[in-house]
Amino acid sequence: MALAFDDFGRPFIIIKEQEQKTRLRGLDAHKSNISAAKAVAHILRTSLGPKGMDKMMQSPDGDVTITNDGATILEQMDVDNQIAKLMVELSRSQDYEIGDGTTGVVVMAGALLEQAERLLERGIHPIRVAEGYEMASRIAVEHLERIAHKFEFSVTNIEPLVQTCMTTLSSKIVNRCKRSLAEIAVKAVMAVADLERKDVNLDLIKVEGKVGGKLEDTELIYGILVDKDMSHPQMPKQIEDAKIAILTCPFEPPKPKTKHKVDIDTVEKFQTLRQQEQKYFDDMVQQCKDVGATLVICQWGFDDEANHLLMNRNLPAVRWVGGVELELIAIATGGRIVPRFQELTSEKLGKAGLVREKSFGTTKDRMLYIEHCANSRAVTIFIRGGNKMMIEETKRSIHDALCVARNIIRNNSIVYGGGSAEISCSLAVEAAADGYPGVEQYAIRAFADSLDSVPMALAENSGLQPIETLSAVKSQQLKENNPCCGIDCNDIGTNDMREQNVFETLIGKKQQILLATQVVKMILKIDDVISPSDY
Amino acid sequence: VERLFKDEATEEKGERARMASFIGAIAIADLVKTTLGPKGMDKILQSTGRGRSVTVTNDGATILKSLHIDNPAAKVLVDISKVQDDEVGDGTTSVVVLAGELLREAEKLVATKIHPMTIIAGYRMAAECARNALLQRVMDNKEDAEKFKADLMKIAMTTLSSKILSQDKEHFAKLAVDAVMRLKGSTNLESIQIIKKPGGSLRDSFLDEGFILDKKIGIGQPKRIENAKILVANTAMDTDKVKIYGARVRVDSMSRVAEIETAEKEKMREKVQKIIAHGINCFVNRQLIYNFPEELFADAGILAIEHADFDGIERLALVTGGEIASTFDNPESVKLGHCKLIEEIMIGEDKLIHFSGVAMGQACTIVLRGASNHVLDEAERSLHDALCVLSQTVNDSRVLLGGGWPEMVMAQAVDELARKTPGKKSLAIEAFSRALIAIPTIIADNAGLDSADLVAQLRAEHHKETSNAGIDVISGSVGDMAELGISEAFKVKQAVLLSATEAAEMILRVDEIITCAPRRREGM
């Protein structure tokens, strides 16, 4: 590769190790970028919608994941191409921000690029295309706000929320029990929601899975579930009205942090040291007992002697509890995390109505339920399922449902799903295009066309005739002036998404359009790709 | 399109992906197919590790666990069999075979251009319908203790009949039922201990009501103690370490060393004194006991057992009702374990310690005898399966007939549904019923019988209301399962049905397989 040549045709050395690099520029660069992004979008296209298919991924270590969650697919795909990585980022940011619609955003971006490619071939400058897209996305977002509906729900009437979560869940493998899972998700979100501030801290919802049982056995626990058991096999398995000491210091002999060594040189010292040691354990347990704790939860391990002393003094204890769980327990029980035994006071104890150990199946698996906590703001969703992949996929689906419920609580505007919002926007953008003089008009038209790709993919995946169905719905929207007409994926018999109760959050949809446009703009602005060649 | 993935990654799309997963899953199912049923064959597994150890088994979960599989769909099946093992303990082969058959049927449907989603919808309806059909026909004898015990006996015999123990199935069924009945409803199989001792024949295996610890009694200590008071401990009885970190002994003369040594000895003596002060005559420790304390115990006439492993200690504490102690300062508050008699017994050539008349009646020990280690391992697995099933049945006492009966009942109900359902789904429902019938077919095939003839007869029998017909493998004909006493636990069948459908559904939904480049390991 060479950038410049002198009069005799010899290359100037401009870039370090110039011979080993390849360079693509101009239209070629655009084309190669677009084709990479399209390839990624193509993979996800079949996963869109309630009848979308799953993807099976084998990780470098041989573990298998089966999912149709866009963000997860892309993350696990381990792509090498730079532009493809951008698409992965795109899906991830949708996941972080909204939590749902991760597939849609990539399909949308892919369609935008596909349209852009055609425009580029006709000689329109990429920047003009990008600007046109920008204008069009603004029109689309404004239109979305116009067709958005306010969504009414209250603490007592959670049915509408459940319906929304069901829409999200219906595209996942768990749709067999979407009703019960949606209810669980909504109840969980309502339990931790701060309706005044319209905020939901999803960290307070712990999602825990255990292989075995049926999906129907999935339950919501108003409390915390810890995958640990009592430190001593003979401690009581059930504690009522537990007062919990939450400790981050080990029941172990002290480890002086200074470098000094304790030297033993006389018999007396040996004996005092021994007594000290015994007293030390005794003190630790006694301190817990004195403040009135009836359960000790500790982040670290126990020494055998301390363990027995705890048992002996009838003080059940749990060891090796992870830091995150410890925090959740502290939040739920209203206790404080105590780093030293000396600082333990009775006010710092957490309270829980019931702590019990439950065992599963034929193996020795046991889990600890902490229920009826003082502060019921922390909840756990406990997932059961036939196998590990099922559990993982359920976890992801529940996460999506939780995010949707949270988004509605944050902002209760919704748009109707099933592609109806996209079709409506497409019509609006198409209509607005005529008002723009200049080359951008082409780009705006192209934007409208690519908006159609989402309903088109939906129809395709549902086994309908894509073009026929799309045009029918489009004309229906125009004729009836009804932005709620979408693709009838489940073959229910009506196109009206209001009747089918299929809707999505406004912010989610807005974000999809904005994010997709942004990434497409970024990709369009690249006109030179310099990469180290393979060796 | 340019290269999207890393170098060694592969991607399979659409039809190809589906084909790859079908082939993988069906191959796995075919692999374990021949082990199904009372006349199923065993497999020899040789490990790749050092020693090339060999396992002979016909337990589906064990076979699948030991395979190194690369096909992702096959891994799904291995996974469900493992879960089946953990959850109910038996039916590990059936679940894989059923899932395999479901996929085989699905493959045919896909070939006739039926969309996988339609097949899934049909399968779901069929699974629900099959489950209801089973629910209608279950028998529940929980009220009647006698009958219930007979049920348990039948289930145990049915489970064992497909294993190596089938020759002595009555003997072992009785062992298993007795052991499980002692648990009184808890599913904690830990209190049933299985000890394997090569030698003798399988028939010499026996159930012991007490507890047997595979340890030797220290020298010079009593070999037999009546009314034993047992202290179960987990404490260091070698040289007691100073636990405070960084402490070390530093002396400047030999005489000091001697002093400290005496102090140490004194400390140990004190500790032993304290232990003796509990008023015990048996001391069991998890950790080592050095010669010096052992000698002290012997002097005091106390039986000291060292190095009982952790499970042994926990179990012993459980059965004798004592607590595991690590400090000995307040003898009055430590709960001691009790048993009527401790004695040394001989099984084969090994000496074992036998605790009989223990406080908690739930525990027991099954001593397995057999010609070789392979036989014993397989016997243990079989017995474990039986114990799991029984303990689950004690909780959920619903029972079904065996010998292909449940499959026929389900198939009939599903067929009925297929006739009533409009649309393409009915094809999938029909396929489901065919997959169910494949199970009795395989059982018959494995027994070397004319499966086509037998299954046709079965179908005719089941067309009548409330038939008890199933395949009688022994006589090679269709027989009345209730009379033959072949039963299975409802919970196992239900788990087989649901997880197989779930797994098939999962594999059907896939339309793309992406295999990442394998992680490079250092030094390879």
Side-chain angles (χ1 to χ4, degrees):
Chain A
M1 186 200 87
L3 295 176
F5 299 90
D6 64 7
D7 296 346
F8 305 102
R10 284 173 307 206
F12 282 116
I13 308 287
I14 298 172
I15 302 172
K16 203 172 159 192
E17 289 168 2
Q18 158 166 306
E19 296 80 37
Q20 288 172 15
K21 294 193 173 158
T22 51
R23 181 181 185 207
L24 275 176
R25 53 177 307 177
L27 201 57
D28 281 342
H30 279 120
K31 279 206 172 148
S32 107
N33 289 344
I34 288 173
S35 75
K38 256 164 56 186
V40 174
H42 200 78
I43 290 174
L44 287 193
R45 202 178 152 92
T46 51
S47 285
L48 198 72
K51 296 273 168 93
M53 304 295 278
D54 287 5
K55 306 277 175 268
M56 188 185 264
M57 261 110 29
Q58 197 166 16
S59 80
D61 297 323
D63 300 331
V64 178
T65 312
I66 298 179
T67 182
N68 76 357
D69 180 57
T72 315
I73 296 173
L74 290 176
E75 212 140 302
Q76 304 238 338
M77 252 171 25
D78 201 15
V79 291
D80 207 21
N81 188 296
Q82 296 310 313
I83 301 298
K85 275 187 185 154
L86 271 182
M87 301 293 267
V88 176
E89 286 289 320
L90 166 70
S91 161
R92 195 180 298 158
S93 56
Q94 173 84 7
D95 193 30
Y96 285 158
E97 197 63 25
I98 307 296
D100 188 28
T102 47
T103 315
V105 70
V106 174
V107 172
M108 175 88 206
L112 283 174
L113 284 171
E114 204 173 332
Q115 295 290 340
E117 194 178 8
R118 264 179 232 161
L119 296 179
L120 292 181
E121 267 168 17
R122 290 163 80 175
I124 298 177
H125 195 272
I127 296 295
R128 304 296 285 273
V129 178
E131 271 168 16
Y133 277 0
E134 180 70 40
M135 287 173 199
S137 74
R138 231 176 292 141
I139 303 168
V141 168
E142 273 166 28
H143 182 71
L144 273 182
E145 304 218 336
R146 257 202 310 284
I147 62 168
H149 293 252
K150 279 288 171 209
F151 184 74
E152 295 308 324
F153 71 95
S154 62
V155 185
T156 47
N157 177 21
I158 56 169
E159 183 57 29
L161 272 180
V162 174
Q163 293 286 350
T164 326
C165 288
M166 272 165 66
T167 312
T168 310
L169 290 176
S170 64
S171 65
K172 314 278 173 184
I173 196 169
V174 296
N175 62 6
R176 183 155 50 95
C177 349
K178 61 178 172 185
R179 173 87 214 173
S180 62
L181 286 181
E183 271 172 20
I184 286 174
V186 171
K187 278 184 194 154
V189 169
M190 291 311 263
V192 302
D194 187 346
L195 290 176
E196 305 262 298
R197 284 196 303 122
K198 291 198 168 185
D199 196 16
V200 183
N201 186 358
L202 287 187
D203 289 343
L204 292 177
I205 301 175
K206 190 173 169 235
V207 182
E208 185 79 41
K210 190 105 195 155
V211 176
K214 301 192 293 289
L215 202 54
E216 283 83 356
D217 297 337
T218 301
E219 55 179 341
L220 175 69
I221 297 161
Y222 288 97
I224 305 287
L225 192 66
V226 190
D227 195 358
K228 291 274 177 291
D229 51 4
M230 295 289 183
S231 64
H232 197 288
Q234 289 166 319
M235 285 176 177
K237 307 279 182 236
Q238 184 159 349
I239 306 155
E240 277 166 31
D241 289 323
K243 294 207 175 68
I244 305 168
I246 305 163
L247 299 171
T248 52
C249 44
F251 277 93
E252 268 169 12
K255 292 182 179 156
K257 289 203 175 107
T258 46
K259 280 278 179 190
H260 292 296
K261 292 242 158 52
V262 184
D263 281 350
I264 304 169
D265 51 4
T266 63
V267 177
E268 290 76 46
K269 275 195 187 167
F270 180 74
Q271 276 163 353
T272 28
L273 200 63
R274 217 183 84 210
Q275 276 156 14
Q276 278 293 328
E277 198 183 275
Q278 282 183 343
K279 194 167 165 310
Y280 185 79
F281 285 127
D282 212 49
D283 280 353
M284 286 195 294
V285 178
Q286 200 53 43
Q287 265 163 354
C288 299
K289 198 76 189 164
D290 281 345
V291 293
T294 54
L295 174 68
V296 177
I297 290 178
C298 185
Q299 194 174 9
W300 302 99
F302 299 168
D303 193 87
D304 284 344
E305 277 184 42
N307 202 358
H308 174 251
L309 274 175
L310 285 167
M311 163 72 198
N312 197 273
R313 303 269 165 86
N314 195 15
L315 193 59
V318 187
R319 58 182 151 180
W320 296 313
V321 178
V324 184
E325 278 140 351
L326 212 64
E327 269 176 37
L328 276 173
I329 293 173
I331 294 170
T333 60
R336 295 271 289 277
I337 297 174
V338 181
R340 275 169 202 283
F341 287 101
Q342 287 79 13
E343 289 166 21
L344 204 59
T345 60
S346 52
E347 297 90 66
K348 287 182 182 167
L349 295 181
K351 290 179 191 57
L354 181 67
V355 178
R356 64 194 165 99
E357 205 182 81
K358 196 177 167 191
S359 51
F360 300 98
T362 60
T363 45
K364 286 196 259 176
D365 280 337
R366 296 197 200 95
M367 284 183 127
L368 202 66
Y369 286 63
I370 302 174
E371 291 172 304
H372 308 297
C373 300
N375 172 5
S376 62
R377 290 282 304 281
V379 295
T380 306
I381 296 174
F382 184 44
I383 298 171
R384 306 300 311 274
N387 53 47
K388 207 171 72 210
M389 289 156 226
M390 194 74 189
I391 300 251
E392 289 302 312
E393 178 66 0
T394 314
K395 266 189 191 173
R396 283 188 286 269
S397 316
I398 287 268
H399 169 77
D400 283 6
L402 290 175
C403 288
V404 168
R406 175 196 62 183
N407 294 341
I408 293 200
I409 289 176
R410 276 193 188 158
N411 182 350
N412 65 352
S413 304
I414 52 144
V415 289
Y416 285 90
S420 66
E422 280 87 356
I423 298 174
S424 174
C425 283
S426 154
L427 288 171
V429 172
E430 183 87 51
D434 295 336
Y436 286 88
V439 194
E440 282 86 357
Q441 203 185 89
Y442 282 94
I444 296 174
R445 286 238 167 75
F447 192 91
D449 282 346
S450 34
L451 275 171
D452 284 344
S453 70
V454 171
M456 195 106 91
L458 272 180
E460 229 169 273
N461 291 345
S462 314
L464 304 168
Q465 292 288 338
I467 298 176
E468 208 173 287
T469 320
L470 181 65
S471 42
V473 173
K474 242 183 177 173
S475 71
Q476 196 184 350
Q477 278 214 8
L478 267 182
K479 236 183 277 165
E480 299 175 12
N481 199 16
N482 176 3
C484 306
C485 291
I487 308 289
D488 180 18
C489 297
N490 288 324
D491 213 15
I492 291 176
T494 168
N495 272 339
D496 197 326
M497 290 297 135
R498 269 181 302 197
E499 280 170 40
Q500 289 208 16
N501 265 325
V502 179
F503 36 84
E504 290 169 67
T505 54
L506 174 66
I507 19 176
K509 195 96 288 174
K510 250 166 51 180
Q511 195 76 15
Q512 266 188 7
I513 293 182
L514 291 177
L515 277 177
T517 317
Q518 251 174 44
V519 168
V520 167
K521 262 172 67 186
M522 185 150 68
I523 294 177
L524 283 178
K525 279 188 180 164
I526 302 169
D527 76 334
D528 209 333
V529 181
I530 297 174
S531 50
S533 67
D534 302 323
Y535 40 86
Chain B
V1 178
E2 248 187 281
R3 211 163 36 79
L4 205 57
F5 299 105
K6 296 221 168 94
D7 269 344
E8 284 162 54
T10 56
E11 185 193 10
E12 313 242 20
K13 281 188 161 178
E15 282 305 305
R16 276 185 62 85
R18 209 165 283 135
M19 220 150 75
S21 46
F22 282 153
I23 287 171
I26 292 172
I28 286 292
D30 284 348
L31 184 77
V32 291
K33 200 159 115 177
T34 52
T35 66
L36 195 72
K39 294 279 167 85
M41 306 300 272
D42 288 4
K43 307 269 177 231
I44 287 188
L45 309 168
Q46 188 171 30
S47 82
T48 49
R50 226 185 312 154
R52 307 264 158 190
S53 63
V54 170
T55 318
V56 183
T57 184
N58 80 354
D59 180 45
T62 314
I63 298 172
L64 294 177
K65 235 185 289 179
S66 341
L67 294 177
H68 297 282
I69 292 172
D70 206 32
N71 187 301
K75 278 189 185 154
V76 176
L77 289 196
V78 174
D79 208 39
I80 56 166
S81 121
K82 215 166 87 206
V83 172
Q84 178 84 6
D85 194 27
D86 290 349
E87 232 5 61
V88 285
D90 194 24
T92 48
T93 313
S94 317
V95 70
V96 176
V97 173
L98 183 57
E101 289 304 324
L102 284 174
L103 288 172
R104 201 193 301 274
E105 291 296 334
E107 194 183 10
K108 286 182 209 153
L109 291 180
V110 170
T112 56
K113 301 271 180 262
I114 292 177
H115 196 265
M117 284 297 167
T118 320
I119 303 177
I120 288 171
Y123 275 9
R124 267 191 199 165
M125 283 171 68
E128 193 55 42
C129 160
R131 186 164 161 260
N132 290 337
L134 280 190
L135 273 173
Q136 272 172 13
R137 300 290 297 270
V138 290
M139 288 161 282
D140 196 340
N141 285 331
K142 191 149 197 122
E143 309 303 320
D144 189 344
E146 267 311 301
K147 264 195 183 158
F148 184 50
K149 197 164 175 201
D151 272 354
L152 284 184
M153 194 72 196
K154 282 186 210 156
I155 291 176
M157 294 224 305
T158 312
T159 307
L160 291 173
S161 67
S162 62
K163 314 275 164 153
I164 197 167
L165 301 177
S166 62
Q167 290 305 313
D168 310 297
K169 63 180 173 190
E170 239 164 278
H171 181 64
F172 281 99
K174 209 164 144 21
L175 276 186
V177 172
D178 282 347
V180 169
M181 288 306 267
R182 292 177 74 89
L183 291 179
K184 298 190 181 69
S186 92
T187 50
N188 189 1
L189 291 179
E190 276 170 66
S191 36
I192 300 176
Q193 188 195 17
I194 298 180
I195 290 185
K196 296 176 284 185
K197 284 283 162 201
S201 75
L202 280 173
R203 200 178 285 277
D204 295 336
S205 310
F206 61 94
L207 175 85
D208 196 282
E209 304 209 336
F211 180 80
I212 293 177
L213 199 61
D214 195 356
K215 289 287 162 223
K216 289 201 181 64
I217 294 178
I219 302 154
Q221 292 167 346
K223 300 268 187 255
R224 180 186 162 91
I225 298 174
E226 285 180 33
N227 285 329
K229 289 191 194 113
I230 308 160
L231 180 67
V232 186
N234 175 18
T235 183
M237 291 299 275
D238 36 8
T239 44
D240 216 351
K241 295 181 284 290
V242 176
K243 283 181 182 163
I244 292 170
Y245 185 76
R248 58 172 177 177
V249 179
R250 171 181 264 180
V251 288
D252 44 15
S253 71
M254 281 308 283
S255 60
R256 288 280 172 82
V257 178
E259 273 174 32
I260 290 197
E261 213 178 274
T262 350
E264 264 178 8
K265 240 184 183 165
E266 203 51 45
K267 184 184 166 191
M268 185 49 73
R269 192 189 299 278
E270 256 178 54
K271 191 164 182 181
V272 174
Q273 291 301 340
K274 272 188 205 159
I275 292 171
I276 295 173
H278 285 70
I280 53 166
N281 44 23
C282 175
F283 176 74
V284 184
N285 192 16
R286 186 168 84 85
Q287 300 173 23
L288 275 177
I289 303 179
Y290 265 28
N291 285 351
F292 177 61
E294 191 177 325
E295 188 190 319
L296 291 176
F297 282 124
D299 283 349
I302 289 176
L303 174 62
I305 301 163
E306 65 168 4
H307 224 246
D309 55 277
F310 204 83
D311 280 346
I313 277 285
E314 263 187 38
R315 228 180 252 145
L316 189 61
L318 200 72
V319 295
T320 59
E323 70 182 46
I324 301 172
S326 294
T327 59
F328 309 99
D329 292 325
N330 9 351
E332 61 286 343
S333 67
V334 174
K335 262 191 273 164
L336 296 178
H338 293 278
C339 81
K340 292 239 169 57
L341 180 69
I342 301 176
E343 60 180 344
E344 200 177 51
I345 53 166
M346 299 268 288
I347 297 178
E349 290 189 338
D350 294 314
K351 288 178 183 163
L352 305 166
I353 306 169
H354 180 227
F355 298 76
S356 54
V358 289
M360 211 171 71
Q362 294 188 10
C364 57
T365 306
I366 295 174
V367 180
L368 286 178
R369 306 299 312 276
S372 73
N373 274 325
H374 300 306
V375 174
L376 283 177
D377 285 344
E378 177 65 0
E380 187 191 3
R381 275 191 293 274
S382 319
L383 201 58
H384 176 257
D385 279 5
L387 289 174
C388 288
V389 175
L390 289 177
S391 68
Q392 295 292 334
T393 317
V394 170
N395 281 349
D396 182 348
S397 61
R398 287 174 288 183
V399 173
L400 296 165
L401 293 177
W405 178 85
E407 283 80 12
M408 293 309 294
V409 169
M410 291 192 276
Q412 209 196 351
V414 171
D415 253 345
E416 202 95 328
L417 177 75
R419 259 175 259 149
K420 277 184 266 171
T421 314
K424 279 192 276 192
K425 268 185 251 171
S426 71
L427 288 175
I429 300 176
E430 230 170 60
F432 196 94
S433 115
R434 275 201 298 278
L436 283 171
I437 292 179
I439 297 228
T441 314
I442 293 168
I443 294 182
D445 275 342
N446 285 348
L449 303 173
D450 184 353
S451 60
D453 180 41
L454 279 177
V455 171
Q457 279 187 42
L458 263 186
R459 270 179 95 120
E461 279 292 322
H462 274 268
H463 206 66
K464 298 175 212 153
E465 283 293 300
T466 61
S467 161
N468 287 336
I471 294 181
D472 179 4
V473 175
I474 312 297
S475 72
S477 61
V478 169
D480 187 325
M481 291 295 118
E483 267 170 35
L484 288 167
I486 298 177
S487 301
E488 280 180 78
F490 170 70
K491 202 164 172 190
V492 174
K493 274 283 157 239
Q494 175 182 281
V496 167
L497 179 71
L498 293 182
S499 10
T501 320
E502 212 164 73
E505 184 181 317
M506 207 161 198
I507 294 173
L508 268 175
R509 281 177 70 106
V510 171
D511 77 333
E512 179 147 350
I513 302 177
I514 296 166
T515 315
C516 294
R519 197 184 299 287
R520 294 193 185 281
R521 301 227 156 66
E522 297 289 316
M524 269 177 81

